[in-house]
Amino acid sequence: MKALVTGGAGFIGSHLCDYLTAHGHQVTVLDDLSTGSKENLVQLSDAPNFEFVEGSILDTALVDSLVGSCDTVFHLAAAVGVHTIVDKPLESLRTNLHGTENVVDAAARHGARIMVASTSEVYGKNDADGLSEDADRILGSPLKSRWSYAAAKGLDELVAYVYGKETGIPTVITRFFNIVGPRQTGRYGMVVPRFVGQAMANEPITVYGDGSQRRCFGSVFDVVPAVVKLMDTPEAYNQAVNLGGLEEVSIRGLAERVIELTGSDSTIEYIPYEKAYGEGYEDMRRRMPDTSLARELIGYEPTLRLDDIINSIIESK
Ligand code: NAD
């Protein structure tokens, strides 16, 4: 495979690059280093089958030339993180919608296969017991404060779907549910690395809201091979597929696990949402994936438990 990984200097993208190069594929990364870092790719700097290009997915000519010299695109570049999407909704809309259209359009022109990274946030306020791919999505139930990210990703899915249908290029949409692991940074509001960092420094762990909101964290080491398998599975083309973990936990429960596993003296401090993110901020109460479609398509079975995931982050610090 000759792969282009947009956002390859980021958390999931850099693990995907490790996996693809280790399996003998040729990999080019396009990343503007806005939230990603070259540090995440330092282990590949001498690999003969790896190349890094600094630039933006909004640069149509650059995207066209890079997509033209590969056969598979993993499109992960996006404006992410609560602070980015709440503070700069227009910028986030521009990157996540126009950037994706650029990349998908180039893939269609050059006949490349494409994976487009989407998110559990397309399910909006839906908090069903195991969200399946046919649950109501963002356009019916948006969360106001996170609209720029969720709505752009929802539209990205439709862009990918329509291009796939009309041009026949193999297209897979992956809906990631709170994927975590080493190299994820806490700087942009990602909860697990932030809690681990606070616990290791014996600082108070800051929980936003009352901590009763629930999430189901998935490991990047389970998700990366699944993404590659989906690209090789024609039954997955033109479908959106949930990828995530198995174990649901409240954010208060997560803070307690992190304190125990790090052996920290940290206490837990509760901060109202409006103080953390401004007036009117809304969060999802619950986010739990139904991954049976991924299981049916590629035999997806997450192997790592929450404690394993937290430990892998602690060890990487
Ligand atoms: P990340 O911030 O680590 O990775 C995103 C990468 O995109 C970064 O390296 C950043 O520098 C790059 N980027 C941003 N704007 C760009 C632009 N205009 N041009 C080129 N590169 C640009 O985040 P991540 O967690 O690895 O997320 C990867 C993808 O998965 C994103 O599309 C994100 O929306 C999606 N996703 C992730 C999760 C998760 O739990 N981590 C959940 C849902 C969806």
Side-chain angles (χ1 to χ4, degrees), residues 10-12 31-32 34-36 56-57 76 78 80 118 149 153 179:
F11 159 55
I12 299 176
D31 200 299
D32 70 354
S34 51
T35 55
S56 174
I57 53 167
L76 293 146
V80 303
S118 185
Y149 181 69
K153 289 281 184 181
I179 308 308

Side-chain angles (χ1 to χ4, degrees), residues 193-205:
R194 189 166 59 77
F195 282 7
V196 169
Q198 289 172 327
M200 290 177 85
N202 284 317
E203 289 166 3
I205 293 197

Side-chain angles (χ1 to χ4, degrees), residues 235-267:
E235 295 74 25
Y237 297 162
N238 261 325
Q239 295 217 53
V241 184
N242 290 340
L243 289 174
L246 291 171
E247 219 174 328
E248 198 180 8
V249 66
S250 70
I251 296 302
R252 185 188 312 129
L254 173 71
E256 288 163 359
R257 290 306 305 142
V258 168
I259 288 172
E260 192 176 328
L261 292 170
T262 50
S264 170
D265 294 327
S266 292
T267 53

